[in-house]
Amino acid sequence: MQRDRVLGRRIAVGSIVAALLLVVAHVALSFLGVLVFAVFLYYAVRPIYRTLERFNLPRRPRAILALVLFGVPFLVLITYTIAIIVIETQTLLEAYGVQDRFLNEVIAEIDVTGLDLDEIRNIVTDISSQASLGVVVLSLAGTVSVVSGAVVQLIIMVTLAYYMLIDGPRFVSWLLETYDESGVLRAYARAVDPELSMTLFGNIVNVFVTAIVGVVTFYTYNFFAPAAVDVPFPALIGALTGIGSLIPVVGIKLVYVPVIVLLAANAWATGDLSLLVPVGALAAVSAVVVDFIPDFFIRAHISGKQTHTGMLLVSYIVGPLVFGFYGLFLAPILLILVINAVSILLPYVLTGHPPGVRQARLTEYRGERLEAAKAERTEAEPAEAGRSGAEPAVSSDGSSDRQ
């Protein structure tokens, strides 16, 4: 009877815990994009946070410096670059007469902050076409609401990254010490953490750095080059070079080489061979600045090769199609979690053996027994030799017992 009461209390307490966890899961799903970006920001800033440790700074100043010096500027730069790419992609689609409905769907898919782009477009249209003061006030109120929503999401993102930096390791250690008696979760965390760091901070940062370098390079080229050999849609081409960097060695070349060939063909068609000079300069700069430096320097220092490249590339492609823009980060996270769950957690579930412990084969068991018996004999031989070679006892008068 007493046992049934204890079991009933445990079930009641477990129900309360389950209900609370469901509420937390609902809130997390409501802000899933913000949480994913916060995890990305954490892994992107963590190397700088750890580098500042050599200056003997406390945890909180280190986290603030890492976010201020790198995290927030990097987010602003990424957002600005993506905004340029969206505008240029819209211009390209409109130039080729793509229908507005398809265009709106494309823009909605690459929405970064959760902003309602249709609402922004309507606000701008109302402001430009209506002279009524009331309409202007309502439009401005809508704009403030949209912008304030984006600011709130940014604050949540930075706050989560900040507390993951200063309290994340202690929280994980507490969880493992409290609930991981077998050690399987500790092994899982040790396998997942470096993979996430190398994938998010390595590959994703390499994509954005390459894209930003490409955009800057092509815009700079267009500023100095003649109009006849301008790079068409430089922001879009630069973004494609960043995406192409996901394919090692040849990915970036698949983007900028056809562009250079097209520009060279245009220069040849004009009959002015002097136009080939800026095209050749663009080819050299693209090969060194856009291709060689990011691929062989940045990737070598911050990218890992633990996760299969093909599966990772598929996750980068499928993620945005399934989850929206933040799927670019969420899909690789899920891929790494699933791969390590299959290799670490599932064997423990099936066998019950903790990580690193496996059932020995019969031949290995016999070999271990033979080695143990041999070691026992080796230890026993010196003891027997000591007893047989002991000095004879000597009597009080100095004579030996040995005759």
Side-chain angles (χ1 to χ4, degrees):
M1 187 68 179
Q2 182 67 24
R3 185 175 181 181
D4 293 339
R5 290 180 179 178
V6 172
L7 180 60
R9 293 193 191 100
R10 292 173 61 187
I11 293 175
V13 173
S15 301
I16 295 174
V17 174
L20 293 175
L21 292 179
L22 287 176
V23 173
V24 172
H26 174 72
V27 175
L29 288 176
S30 302
F31 292 91
L32 182 59
V34 177
L35 293 176
V36 171
F37 280 114
V39 172
F40 162 69
L41 183 61
Y42 163 72
Y43 280 106
V45 172
R46 192 174 68 173
I48 300 174
Y49 172 77
R50 292 177 174 177
T51 301
L52 294 174
E53 188 176 2
R54 67 184 62 178
F55 297 102
N56 297 322
L57 294 174
R59 291 180 296 117
R60 296 179 185 275
R62 272 191 288 140
I64 294 174
L65 283 175
L67 289 170
V68 171
L69 295 179
F70 178 79
V72 175
F74 185 65
L75 286 178
V76 172
L77 185 59
I78 288 176
T79 304
Y80 177 73
T81 304
I82 292 175
I84 294 177
I85 294 169
V86 169
I87 294 173
E88 199 155 287
T89 303
Q90 181 177 358
T91 304
L92 173 63
L93 295 177
E94 290 177 348
Y96 285 90
V98 180
Q99 294 180 358
D100 292 338
R101 179 180 178 183
F102 174 76
L103 179 61
N104 293 333
E105 292 177 357
V106 172
I107 294 177
E109 287 296 326
I110 57 179
D111 180 19
V112 180
T113 60
L115 299 180
D116 190 345
L117 296 180
D118 289 333
E119 183 179 351
I120 296 176
R121 187 181 294 107
N122 293 333
I123 290 171
V124 175
T125 303
D126 290 340
I127 292 177
S128 60
S129 60
Q130 301 290 337
S132 172
L133 179 60
V135 172
V136 172
V137 172
L138 291 176
S139 299
L140 290 177
T143 304
V144 171
S145 175
V146 172
V147 174
S148 62
V151 171
V152 169
Q153 293 182 10
L154 179 62
I155 292 175
I156 295 174
M157 189 189 313
V158 174
T159 303
L160 288 175
Y162 170 77
Y163 282 106
M164 281 191 285
L165 286 173
I166 64 174
D167 293 327
R170 293 191 298 176
F171 178 68
V172 172
S173 298
W174 174 80
L175 285 178
L176 296 178
E177 292 174 0
T178 306
Y179 301 105
D180 186 28
E181 182 179 355
S182 64
V184 63
L185 295 180
R186 186 178 300 275
Y188 182 70
R190 288 177 177 175
V192 166
D193 182 68
E195 278 297 297
L196 289 176
S197 179
M198 288 185 292
T199 300
L200 295 179
F201 177 71
N203 296 328
I204 296 295
V205 171
N206 185 60
V207 167
F208 282 110
V209 168
T210 304
I212 291 170
V213 170
V215 170
V216 173
T217 299
F218 296 139
Y219 267 110
T220 304
Y221 168 81
N222 282 355
F223 182 78
F224 294 101
V229 288
D230 274 353
V231 175
F233 306 103
L236 182 60
I237 300 299
L240 292 177
T241 59
I243 297 173
S245 66
L246 294 173
I247 305 175
V249 182
V250 299
I252 301 177
K253 297 179 179 64
L254 295 176
V255 178
Y256 75 84
V257 170
V259 172
I260 292 173
V261 171
L262 176 63
L263 296 181
N266 289 340
W268 183 270
T270 59
D272 187 0
L273 297 183
S274 63
L275 295 177
L276 293 175
V277 175
V279 175
L282 176 63
V285 172
S286 299
V288 175
V289 177
V290 181
D291 191 353
F292 179 79
I293 292 179
D295 195 58
F296 288 92
F297 285 92
I298 299 177
R299 185 188 296 273
H301 286 85
I302 64 177
S303 295
K305 298 181 180 179
Q306 298 294 327
T307 306
H308 191 272
T309 304
M311 297 179 65
L312 197 59
L313 179 60
V314 171
S315 70
Y316 287 136
I317 297 174
V318 174
L321 298 178
V322 176
F323 302 105
F325 180 80
Y326 64 86
L328 183 67
F329 307 92
L330 180 58
I333 293 175
L334 293 177
L335 175 65
I336 292 172
L337 294 178
V338 170
I339 289 176
N340 287 278
V342 171
S343 62
I344 298 175
L345 300 182
L346 187 59
Y348 172 74
V349 173
L350 297 177
T351 65
H353 296 294
V357 178
R358 65 180 180 85
Q359 183 178 3
R361 298 179 181 178
L362 181 59
T363 55
E364 296 175 352
Y365 176 74
R366 289 175 177 173
E368 292 176 358
R369 292 297 301 271
L370 291 175
E371 291 292 334
K374 183 178 179 181
E376 291 177 359
R377 289 196 302 269
T378 304
E379 293 175 356
E381 289 175 357
E384 294 176 357
R387 288 196 299 269
S388 62
E391 293 293 331
V394 179
S395 61
S396 59
D397 60 357
S399 62
S400 173
D401 291 342
R402 182 179 298 173
Q403 299 297 327

